[in-house]
Amino acid sequence: FFSKKMINYFIMFLYLKISICKVIAGMTELLTEPIFIIWQNLLLFGPRTVVEMIAIVIRCLSTFLFLLSGFGVLSFAIAQLCYSFVLFFGFYGYTIYKTIKRTEREKEKVNEWPITEIRMLFPRIYVNNKRLTNIFDPNTLKLSGTFLFQSIGKFGLAEGEKMALLWSKGLSDQGSFGLVSNLGSLVARFLFQPLEETSNAVFTKLTNQSSSSSS
């Protein structure tokens, strides 16, 4: 009934919509990273758990509802977009609320809640002697470049096997590999990843405290 050209146009349009949703979701999650780092440094695991749990539940429900509504593959992209929005508003909302509602004790001890103004959550231009020096802090920029190269290497190691399967095997083998890989990583995701993140945050906090006290 439909020509091959029309089907190709439909697939391209669907791929474009999925790509746009994924890009917006990725940028939104990147904007949440500064608040995530602050929460990790302050060991705010309780609020983080609540926000991430709500975001995961919203993603699951939205995937199910959009699939029932006939959106097809686009449902997963829309669900990821909803997930990123919930994370963004949850992290920033709680941080702004906590900054406004600071207690007198937290105002006296800046270490308990170092954010004293809402504008501290947004980037600012560094000025030295009333002259513009750097839009970004050079040390932070250098550190970000290091993490960028590490992320590229990690992505290559994690997704390289999938690329090899995509070029050499069929859809059946790819599906079997994805099922086994996801089931095998459940233990690492639910048990070892939280332990790793918690240990990393606690050890970093203790190291900073010991170095500051020694100096």
Side-chain angles (χ1 to χ4, degrees):
F1 183 73
F2 295 102
S3 64
K4 186 176 181 180
K5 189 174 183 180
M6 292 179 62
I7 295 175
N8 290 334
Y9 278 134
F10 174 76
I11 294 175
M12 289 177 60
F13 183 65
L14 180 62
Y15 180 77
L16 178 62
K17 291 192 290 185
I18 293 174
S19 301
I20 291 174
C21 290
K22 288 289 187 178
V23 169
I24 296 176
M27 295 298 295
T28 306
E29 292 185 31
L30 282 177
L31 292 175
T32 314
E33 282 296 313
I35 308 299
F36 177 81
I37 295 173
I38 294 174
W39 285 23
Q40 283 287 96
N41 187 41
L42 297 176
L43 306 180
L44 295 176
F45 299 115
R48 175 194 163 189
T49 303
V50 173
V51 172
E52 291 183 348
M53 181 184 66
I54 295 174
I56 292 173
V57 171
I58 293 295
R59 181 172 61 182
C60 294
L61 290 177
S62 57
T63 304
F64 178 71
L65 293 176
F66 281 113
L67 282 174
L68 287 181
S69 302
F71 282 82
V73 182
L74 185 61
S75 305
F76 298 94
I78 299 175
Q80 187 65 31
L81 194 61
C82 296
Y83 172 82
S84 62
F85 283 157
V86 173
L87 282 183
F88 178 83
F89 288 110
F91 274 85
Y92 275 94
Y94 180 82
T95 305
I96 293 174
Y97 171 79
K98 186 72 174 177
T99 303
I100 296 175
K101 298 294 184 179
R102 284 187 307 149
T103 62
E104 294 297 329
R105 179 186 175 186
E106 290 171 339
K107 291 180 180 179
E108 294 176 358
K109 297 184 178 181
V110 184
N111 292 331
E112 295 187 5
W113 189 258
I115 305 173
T116 57
E117 298 176 347
I118 297 178
R119 65 179 182 177
M120 294 177 62
L121 301 175
F122 305 100
R124 289 177 292 177
I125 298 177
Y126 286 84
V127 178
N128 187 15
N129 295 329
K130 298 182 179 181
R131 291 182 60 187
L132 180 64
T133 54
N134 290 299
I135 298 179
F136 301 101
D137 181 28
N139 296 325
T140 305
L141 194 62
K142 183 179 179 181
L143 183 62
S144 301
T146 303
F147 282 122
L148 174 63
F149 285 112
Q150 289 181 355
S151 301
I152 294 175
K154 182 180 178 181
F155 178 81
L157 292 175
E159 303 295 331
E161 53 190 11
K162 296 180 182 178
M163 297 296 180
L165 281 175
L166 181 63
W167 292 330
S168 61
K169 299 294 182 180
L171 294 177
S172 177
D173 294 330
Q174 294 178 28
S176 301
F177 173 80
L179 179 62
V180 174
S181 177
N182 290 328
L183 289 177
S185 61
L186 285 179
V187 177
R189 290 180 182 178
F190 287 101
L191 181 60
F192 298 123
Q193 183 179 2
L195 289 176
E196 178 187 0
E197 293 181 356
T198 305
S199 302
N200 186 19
V202 172
F203 292 156
T204 304
K205 188 84 172 178
L206 292 176
T207 303
N208 291 334
Q209 289 179 354
S210 61
S211 60
S212 61
S213 62
S214 61
S215 60

